[in-house]
């Protein structure tokens, strides 16, 4: 069976128009838009829809959006731009177990389908007459897959799709000429993360998780400290800080949040600890996801003391529990932080049990030996991560 000519279908569709219907055009980047914008704006009332959670890192996402605005302005094109906030979790949910795989496989089909479905859904919700995508401008994307996916989504959401193959009829040449003329950035990759492994390290109080995380960093991993992120989010003047002050006025001294007073208050009353967690945990989870997305590294390690308690295990490909005996942890906590036995017991009681962490974690690292034993386990974990990248 001969392949469908989606450019012919496009020309037939626009040729039959008697007015200027509203078109929601999914737009991935300025070079792809350059192949399509002159034609679509001649026939439609166009809104460019920038929904591309696959693009990595955040700086690249922002740069491509900026270049789209630059092209539209340079051409004086009659087109509005709607950009969704950057949320890498959308991409992770869409590709699932295919995350980190090679291009042109299952990962790409799921990613493309997600972006097209989001466009169709928005077009239907906002009353557009048509939806389509500039992705067909790329010679590396299947026009058949894109158009037939849009055709199926059109039936589901009850909004017309505009068939297209914008690389045809010298689309690639138009794109090259316009990009050169206006100095438009032409990226060298589709956008998704190169193969990457994210590791989350957790463990009870003074188990040695910070030491283990540091060792992984010394072996080449990019590390993120959730406790540090939490402190930054609680800094004076932040939204989180204001919410905590409102909930815990007794922990405010001369207008500033006293972390020692706050800690003593919440660990003496489970209901107060729960109230604090309801303020802090969602903000921390969102910030960690953002920092992981920004991390330009193949192996990212996030130290999260309350990983399972906060339901954050989904941020990682591998979860690691650093385990140590109660006696060792108590001694470390006293030497490191000078805390009392009572405070140690209160903090430990508020955390998940060691047995439960062992059950939930993918890997448990034993830390009752010397530093060399812990370092050897760090090397073994890094070897496993490197193998996953291949």
């Amino acid at each position: 069976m001969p392949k469908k000519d989606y450019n012919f279908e496009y020309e037939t569709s626009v040729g039959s128009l008697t007015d200027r219907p509203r078109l929601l055009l999914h737009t991935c980047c300025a070079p792809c838009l350059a192949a399509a914008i002159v034609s679509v704006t001649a026939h439609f009332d166009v809104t460019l829809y920038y929904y591309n959670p696959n693009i990595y890192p955040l700086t690249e996402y922002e740069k491509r959006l900026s270049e789209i605005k630059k092209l539209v302005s340079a051409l004086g094109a009659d087109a509005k731009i709607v950009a969704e906030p950057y949320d890498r979790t959308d991409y992770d949910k869409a590709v699932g177990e295919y995350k980190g795989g090679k291009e042109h496989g299952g990962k790409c089909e799921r990613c493309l389908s997600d972006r097209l479905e989001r466009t169709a859904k928005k077009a239907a919700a906002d009353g557009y007459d048509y939806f389509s995508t500039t992705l067909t401008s790329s010679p590396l994307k299947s026009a058949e897959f894109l158009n037939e996916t849009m055709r199926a989504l059109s039936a589901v959401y009850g909004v017309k799709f505009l068939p297209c193959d914008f690389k045809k009829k010298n689309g690639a040449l138009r794109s090259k000429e316009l990009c050169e003329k206006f100095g438009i950035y032409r990226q060298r990759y589709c956008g998704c993360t190169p193969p990457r492994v994210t590791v989350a390290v957790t463990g009870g109080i003074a188990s040695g998780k910070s030491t283990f995380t540091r060792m992984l960093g010394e072996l080449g991993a990019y590390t993120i400290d959730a406790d540090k992120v939490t402190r930054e989010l609680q800094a004076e003047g932040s939204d989180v800080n204001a919410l905590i002050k409102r909930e815990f006025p007794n922990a405010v001294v001369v207008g500033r949040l006293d972390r020692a007073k706050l800690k003593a208050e919440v660990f003496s009353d489970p209901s107060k600890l729960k109230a604090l967690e309801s303020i802090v945990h969602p903000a921390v989870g969102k910030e960690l996801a953002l920092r992981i997305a920004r991390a330009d590294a193949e192996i990212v390690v996030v130290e999260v003391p309350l990983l399972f308690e906060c339901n954050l295990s989904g941020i990682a490909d591998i979860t690691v529990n650093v385990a140590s005996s109660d006696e060792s942890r108590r001694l470390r906590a006293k030497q490191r932080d000078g805390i009392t036995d009572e405070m140690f017991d209160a903090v430990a009681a508020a955390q998940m049990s060691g047995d439960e962490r062992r059950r939930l974690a993918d890997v448990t690292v034993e830390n009752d030996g010397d530093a060399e034993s812990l370092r050897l386990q760090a090397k073994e974990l890094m070897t496993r991560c490197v193998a996953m990248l291949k």
Side-chain angles (χ1 to χ4, degrees):
M1 181 181 296
K3 288 186 177 181
K4 291 184 178 180
D5 186 339
Y6 295 105
N7 181 68
F8 176 77
E9 289 190 27
Y10 169 82
E11 292 179 341
T12 301
S13 295
V14 298
S16 65
L17 296 176
T18 57
D19 55 5
R20 286 177 58 82
R22 298 177 69 215
L23 167 67
L24 186 66
L25 182 64
H26 170 263
T27 306
C28 52
C29 62
C32 283
L33 176 61
I37 190 168
V38 173
S39 179
V40 292
T41 54
H43 300 286
F44 295 90
D45 176 2
V46 179
T47 296
L48 305 176
Y49 185 47
Y50 188 68
Y51 170 69
N52 302 287
N54 61 307
I55 296 175
Y56 170 83
L58 174 61
T59 51
E60 180 73 15
Y61 181 90
E62 293 172 338
K63 183 172 185 178
R64 294 192 195 183
L65 176 57
S66 176
E67 293 298 290
I68 288 171
K69 294 176 180 177
K70 179 179 176 181
L71 177 64
V72 170
S73 176
L75 288 171
D78 184 12
K80 297 176 286 294
I81 300 172
V82 173
E84 294 288 355
Y86 186 71
D87 188 349
R88 187 68 176 175
T89 59
D90 283 349
Y91 170 77
D92 293 339
K93 290 175 184 176
V95 301
E97 64 183 4
Y98 289 85
K99 180 181 177 182
K102 296 182 182 299
E103 273 199 74
H104 309 303
K107 177 184 71 172
C108 289
E109 289 187 357
R110 284 157 179 78
C111 173
L112 295 171
S113 296
D114 171 63
R115 288 188 275 170
L116 294 176
E117 181 167 14
R118 184 70 167 261
T119 307
K121 188 175 182 179
K122 183 171 180 62
D126 292 354
Y128 285 87
D129 300 297
Y130 289 83
F131 76 98
S132 195
T133 181
T134 62
L135 285 163
T136 62
S137 300
S138 171
L140 300 178
K141 301 290 186 290
S142 167
E144 180 179 14
F145 176 80
L146 293 168
N147 279 278
E148 295 311 312
T149 299
M150 288 193 290
R151 195 186 305 276
L153 291 169
S154 175
V156 172
Y157 289 100
V159 60
K160 296 177 184 178
F161 87 100
L162 178 64
C164 61
D165 192 349
F166 290 124
K167 62 180 168 288
K168 294 295 182 67
K169 294 294 183 70
N170 295 317
L173 180 59
R174 286 196 303 276
S175 174
K176 181 176 183 294
E177 289 176 344
L178 287 176
C179 287
E180 289 179 350
K181 180 178 180 179
F182 298 117
I184 299 297
Y185 163 66
R186 300 175 72 191
Q187 68 276 359
R188 296 181 179 274
Y189 67 109
C190 176
C192 66
T193 311
R196 180 176 66 188
V197 177
T198 301
V199 179
V201 177
T202 191
I205 178 175
S207 60
K209 49 191 178 296
S210 295
T211 301
F212 188 70
T213 300
R214 187 188 71 246
M215 289 177 174
L216 293 173
E218 292 169 351
L219 292 169
Y222 178 87
T223 62
I224 301 171
D225 181 353
D227 276 348
K228 183 179 179 182
V229 170
T230 302
R231 289 193 295 273
E232 291 173 359
L233 291 175
Q234 294 181 21
E236 292 295 325
S238 70
D239 292 340
V240 172
N241 179 275
L243 291 172
I244 294 173
K245 286 179 178 177
R246 188 181 309 157
E247 183 71 25
F248 301 95
N250 293 332
V252 180
V253 178
V254 195
R256 298 180 66 83
L257 186 65
D258 187 313
R259 289 178 58 84
K261 283 183 174 292
L262 178 65
K263 187 174 182 179
E265 183 174 351
V266 299
F267 281 114
S268 66
D269 185 337
S271 66
K272 290 185 176 182
L273 178 60
K274 188 174 182 179
L276 178 64
E277 290 173 345
S278 70
I279 296 171
V280 175
H281 289 177
V284 171
K286 185 176 181 180
E287 183 64 21
L288 287 178
L290 183 60
R291 296 194 185 194
I292 291 169
R294 287 174 172 172
D296 191 10
E298 291 185 324
I299 301 175
V300 179
V301 177
V302 191
E303 182 187 342
V304 191
L306 299 179
L307 179 73
F308 299 119
E309 293 90 332
C310 297
N311 296 315
L312 290 175
S313 59
I315 66 174
D317 300 299
I318 303 174
T319 56
V320 178
N321 167 44
V322 180
S324 187
S325 67
D326 288 348
E327 295 77 10
S328 296
R329 294 192 297 121
R330 188 181 298 271
L331 179 61
R332 288 192 199 111
K334 287 182 177 180
Q335 293 175 340
R336 184 189 66 190
D337 302 324
I339 71 172
T340 63
D341 285 323
E342 292 76 13
M343 179 58 75
F344 176 86
D345 291 337
V347 174
Q351 296 180 335
M352 183 176 286
S353 71
D355 288 342
E356 186 68 0
R357 272 192 298 270
R358 285 178 182 273
R359 185 183 71 80
L360 293 172
D362 297 315
V363 176
T364 290
V365 169
E366 304 294 345
N367 188 30
D368 280 322
D370 57 17
E372 191 54 40
S373 172
L374 190 63
R375 187 171 290 106
L376 178 60
Q377 293 177 84
K379 290 180 179 178
E380 291 173 350
L381 179 63
M382 285 294 284
T383 298
R384 174 177 173 178
C385 291
V386 170
M388 290 176 66
L389 292 168
K390 296 179 179 178

